[in-house]
Amino acid sequence: MAKLKGVCIGAGYFSQFHFEAWKRMDTVDIVGVCDSVKERAEDIVKNYGFKQTYINVEEMFLKEKPDFVDIITPPESHLELCKLAVAHNIHIICQKPLAPTLEEAKEIGSLISNSDVRMMVHENFRFQPWHRELRKLLDTQVIGSKLHTINLRMRMGDGWQTDAYMNRQPYFREMERLLIYETGIHFIDVFRYLGGEITEVYAKLRTLNTNIKGEDFAWVNFDFANGGLGFLDANRYNENTSEDPRLTFGTVLVEGDRGSLRLYDDGKITIQLLGKEEQEHKYSFKKQNFAGDCVFATQQHFVSNLIAGTPFETDVASYIPNILVLEKIYESSAKKNAFKGLNLSPTN
């Protein structure tokens, strides 16, 4: 079978994880890399053994005629890049957040639904191996058929310094929306992946480091349609005791009517049935690339389903409700209100 021809747009910090994963795929040939800074694209092509560099996206599309494009650029650019890809009938995988506003996200959704182009959001946290394993355990009703709570706690410890984020992603410092917009969007998707649709949110957001603009602390309550409750306790300022906070990005406690599941910072999962001792659940994962090799898993999901013509877990229509929940979190914190009865239909 011929390899899929792919091109990539963007060579910023996180793109390295995309490129490393594409390099390992036998079914993909990256034929072009485009970035506004030509030298960055040239470095990528040289380091990963890809083919051509570009500084103009449409020129790359016209010359390479790829099967798909990987958009690894800031969300403000996504709508126009998606329009260009659709005009050239090129399938899309696009980094999160899908768009800077719900309105733009819906415009992208409408654009895709009225074309023959298939599109998946590069939402990799649900593809972290521990979250896949938790979902399997929930599906087999190991801790019962009724979900009580999901509690996710994150302490990154990378945001307390005066020069916080300068060594990795300095643009974080100037973002008006930070924790929920940049990292919390992942957790919103994880909550929906594990607990089902969200019907109510109530949030309190704070900025602890006065040297940055956006929030770095969040307490968010979720109500699920199935009656369960969720709580996100996220904080980039304070530290935890984990050897590698960026492995799992936090701990998770899932409680049901027959017991509890726990995810620890090192990736360990345990099961504690009611009246029983906590027992470790054995499963395997790789400590490579990013967070359990979730970038590779995400991109492999895109490729395999693109080839098979089967649905993506995070296609645009399925993903837009995450943006709605995100917007309601910010609105709840600003107005000190709970938002009930969220309509998660992407058409509304």
Side-chain angles (χ1 to χ4, degrees), residues 113-145:
S113 66
N114 290 310
S115 75
D116 293 326
V117 167
R118 300 189 61 203
M119 179 174 175
M120 173 177 153
V121 181
H122 193 293
E123 179 48 75
N124 52 59
F125 271 39
R126 72 161 56 205
F127 289 98
Q128 291 176 359
W130 30 87
H131 293 146
R132 307 302 280 189
E133 198 68 20
L134 288 175
R135 174 63 185 266
K136 288 179 186 177
L137 292 170
L138 287 170
D139 286 345
T140 56
Q141 299 187 357
V142 168
I143 58 167
S145 58

Side-chain angles (χ1 to χ4, degrees), residues 3 18 54 57 66 94 99 119 126 164 177 182 192 206 212-214 220 231 235 247 254 269 304 311 321 345:
K3 292 184 177 183
H18 289 237
Y54 295 89
V57 174
C94 180
M119 179 174 175
R126 72 161 56 205
R177 293 179 169 187
E182 177 61 31
R192 290 182 62 224
R206 300 285 187 271
I212 67 171
K213 290 186 178 180
V220 185
F231 181 58
N235 175 334
L247 179 62
V254 184
I269 291 175
S304 60
S345 170

Side-chain angles (χ1 to χ4, degrees), residues 173-187:
R173 296 171 64 87
E174 300 300 319
M175 292 173 63
E176 299 288 343
R177 293 179 169 187
L178 177 58
L179 179 57
I180 294 298
Y181 184 74
E182 177 61 31
T183 309
I185 186 67
H186 286 304
F187 294 139

Side-chain angles (χ1 to χ4, degrees), residues 21 25 120 127-128 292-302:
M25 292 187 190
M120 173 177 153
F127 289 98
Q128 291 176 359
D293 213 17
C294 66
V295 172
F296 181 90
T298 303
Q299 292 172 193
Q300 186 61 60
H301 177 84
F302 170 75

Side-chain angles (χ1 to χ4, degrees), residues 62-221:
L62 288 168
K63 286 190 176 181
E64 302 297 345
K65 295 181 172 52
D67 298 301
F68 74 87
V69 58
D70 184 8
I71 298 175
I72 327 170
T73 59
E76 293 78 11
S77 65
H78 291 173
L79 176 58
E80 293 307 314
L81 291 175
C82 287
K83 286 180 179 178
L84 194 57
V86 167
H88 290 270
N89 202 36
I90 299 167
H91 301 298
I92 304 165
I93 181 169
C94 180
Q95 254 297 341
K96 62 82 210 169
L98 176 60
T101 66
L102 180 61
E103 289 71 23
E104 280 197 26
K106 289 180 177 180
E107 189 171 349
I108 292 173
S110 178
L111 175 72
I112 297 302
S113 66
N114 290 310
S115 75
D116 293 326
V117 167
R118 300 189 61 203
M119 179 174 175
M120 173 177 153
V121 181
H122 193 293
E123 179 48 75
N124 52 59
F125 271 39
R126 72 161 56 205
F127 289 98
Q128 291 176 359
W130 30 87
H131 293 146
R132 307 302 280 189
E133 198 68 20
L134 288 175
R135 174 63 185 266
K136 288 179 186 177
L137 292 170
L138 287 170
D139 286 345
T140 56
Q141 299 187 357
V142 168
I143 58 167
S145 58
K146 184 179 179 181
L147 175 69
H148 289 169
T149 63
I150 302 175
N151 190 311
L152 196 157
R153 184 177 189 272
M154 182 195 85
R155 291 293 182 275
M156 294 304 295
D158 62 352
W160 60 268
Q161 305 89 343
T162 302
D163 64 347
Y165 314 117
M166 287 299 294
N167 65 331
R168 183 183 288 122
Q169 291 159 296
Y171 57 90
F172 276 11
R173 296 171 64 87
E174 300 300 319
M175 292 173 63
E176 299 288 343
R177 293 179 169 187
L178 177 58
L179 179 57
I180 294 298
Y181 184 74
E182 177 61 31
T183 309
I185 186 67
H186 286 304
F187 294 139
I188 292 168
D189 189 68
V190 168
F191 273 100
R192 290 182 62 224
Y193 177 61
L194 296 178
E197 293 303 344
I198 294 169
T199 59
E200 181 178 340
V201 299
Y202 177 67
K204 291 187 176 183
L205 310 179
R206 300 285 187 271
T207 300
L208 303 179
N209 187 336
T210 57
N211 296 293
I212 67 171
K213 290 186 178 180
E215 82 285 353
D216 53 9
F217 166 97
W219 279 0
V220 185
N221 294 293

Side-chain angles (χ1 to χ4, degrees), residues 249-308:
F249 280 76
T251 60
V252 180
L253 170 64
V254 184
E255 297 171 319
D257 58 319
R258 291 187 57 224
S260 304
L261 303 173
R262 291 180 176 87
L263 166 67
Y264 290 86
D265 289 301
D266 61 359
K268 181 176 75 173
I269 291 175
T270 65
I271 301 171
Q272 184 180 18
L273 299 181
L274 296 178
K276 305 292 184 180
E277 292 185 358
E278 181 184 27
Q279 301 288 331
E280 183 173 355
H281 170 72
K282 297 294 185 180
Y283 76 112
S284 62
F285 63 87
K286 296 177 180 178
K287 289 186 179 181
Q288 68 181 92
N289 193 288
F290 175 77
D293 213 17
C294 66
V295 172
F296 181 90
T298 303
Q299 292 172 193
Q300 186 61 60
H301 177 84
F302 170 75
V303 168
S304 60
N305 286 281
L306 185 60
I307 292 172

